[in-house]
Amino acid sequence: MGSKNKLRRFRENETFTNVFQPTRDELVKSDFDLKGNWRIKVFKNNNPLVLELGCGKGEYSVALAQKYPNKNFIGIDIKGARFWRGAKTAIEENIANVAFLRTQIELIDHAFAENEVDEIWITFPDPQIKYKRTKHRMTNAEFLKRYKQILKPEGVVNLKTDSEFMHGYTLGLLHGAGHEVIYANHNVYKQEGSPEEVTSIQTFYESQYLEQNKPITYIRFKIK
Ligand SMILES: C[S@@+](CC[C@H](N)C(=O)[O-])C[C@H]1O[C@@H](n2cnc3c(N)ncnc32)[C@H](O)[C@@H]1O
């Protein structure tokens, strides 16, 4: 994407009522005013809250919001020019139960309060295979700790990925640490049994992997 186009999207994001872009200091140094208040202040209801981490263009957030009008969805990504797409679609199509938050997932426990979140989707995260990048892998023990902090005790995490490495790594870590694997599938379009929304919604990255005939995997789990 050209830099002019990006700038235009950044400017437009600032005018969108469904986009939130706190600075690092606003999250870390002060009490972020939406922390613990997303339902009341943003969605104006008391419905369950679902996050999509590394949402890219926000396909899951938007499609799930349409499918489940009685739940609230927040797509989170550091790249505002990407989620501009989802935010714009939500505005154009009057989908009021979805919003977008620009932040690093590393700061998620500063953006949401304990027990505020009902469910998390992690869609096609970078597997961060190189040793030096392990700390950025979105299902490592540190990230799971952050998710646990904001999830309700019964809250679940969904991981959809094309990366066999990420799938195997996450399953191994979950089993090793005694977390609860509710369901796992290593090829969702070939092996039946996945929840409907796993096979009915495709993200931007996913459609590219599907063209390359890569198997798409899925895990649903609870953090103990
Ligand atoms: C491979 S893309 C997948 C995007 C989208 N979910 C999809 O399937 O099309 C990974 C996304 O995660 C975002 N991301 C990676 N690490 C992140 C982090 N630590 N905090 C916030 N976003 C992150 C990137 O900006 C990118 O949009």
Side-chain angles (χ1 to χ4, degrees):
M1 192 187 312
S3 55
K4 254 193 187 165
N5 222 348
K6 264 194 194 165
L7 266 181
R8 190 176 56 75
R9 289 183 175 195
F10 289 151
R11 267 192 228 113
E12 219 175 335
N13 273 346
E14 278 163 26
T15 70
F16 287 164
T17 51
N18 59 0
V19 167
F20 299 86
Q21 312 194 76
T23 62
R24 189 190 171 85
D25 279 359
E26 279 170 331
L27 285 176
V28 175
K29 292 201 179 147
S30 54
D31 249 347
F32 179 47
D33 64 337
L34 293 179
K35 182 177 177 178
N37 297 314
W38 284 92
R39 282 184 182 76
I40 294 169
K41 288 195 177 168
V42 174
F43 298 105
K44 318 231 178 323
N45 62 42
N46 206 19
N47 293 339
L49 183 62
V50 182
L51 309 181
E52 183 189 5
L53 308 183
C55 69
K57 299 183 184 207
E59 286 89 356
Y60 258 87
S61 299
V62 171
L64 290 175
Q66 284 174 305
K67 192 172 158 65
Y68 298 106
N70 294 327
K71 291 184 186 180
N72 305 313
F73 295 86
I74 302 177
I76 305 176
D77 206 292
I78 197 64
K79 296 201 171 157
R82 288 195 180 166
F83 67 59
W84 168 89
R85 181 59 274 166
K88 177 111 178 148
T89 302
I91 286 171
E92 284 172 349
E93 298 187 17
N94 277 321
I95 313 167
N97 58 329
V98 61
F100 290 87
L101 169 64
R102 183 176 176 276
T103 191
Q104 284 187 306
I105 311 297
E106 283 80 352
L107 302 179
I108 196 148
D109 47 322
H110 295 274
F112 298 92
E114 256 176 61
N115 291 323
E116 189 170 16
V117 176
D118 291 80
E119 188 167 350
I120 290 176
W121 280 79
I122 309 172
T123 52
F124 299 88
D126 303 309
Q128 311 286 17
I129 291 170
K130 286 192 188 145
Y131 178 69
K132 268 199 195 152
R133 306 286 302 166
T134 322
K135 65 171 193 275
H136 299 292
R137 197 177 297 149
M138 271 194 314
T139 56
N140 72 24
E142 280 305 305
F143 276 102
L144 294 189
K145 238 191 258 169
R146 294 184 186 110
Y147 306 155
K148 183 177 164 59
Q149 203 172 320
I150 60 172
L151 274 169
K152 296 202 169 127
E154 285 308 297
V156 296
V157 183
N158 304 273
L159 169 69
K160 199 177 173 191
T161 174
D162 65 296
S163 164
E164 285 175 39
F165 170 81
M166 189 76 179
H167 183 74
Y169 164 85
T170 305
L171 269 183
L173 184 132
L174 294 173
H175 285 308
H179 301 305
E180 182 187 344
V181 176
I182 303 168
Y183 179 76
N185 187 326
H186 58 84
N187 193 344
V188 297
Y189 297 104
K190 287 255 166 72
Q191 185 194 329
E192 282 178 25
S194 299
E196 191 269 336
E197 57 256 38
V198 173
T199 49
S200 66
I201 304 167
Q202 280 83 35
T203 73
F204 177 71
Y205 274 76
E206 178 174 3
S207 53
Q208 296 177 340
Y209 300 134
L210 285 173
E211 271 175 27
Q212 300 162 21
N213 276 323
K214 279 181 129 188
I216 305 298
T217 73
Y218 171 72
I219 310 174
R220 183 172 171 87
F221 62 93
K222 271 188 199 166
I223 306 166
K224 293 287 171 188

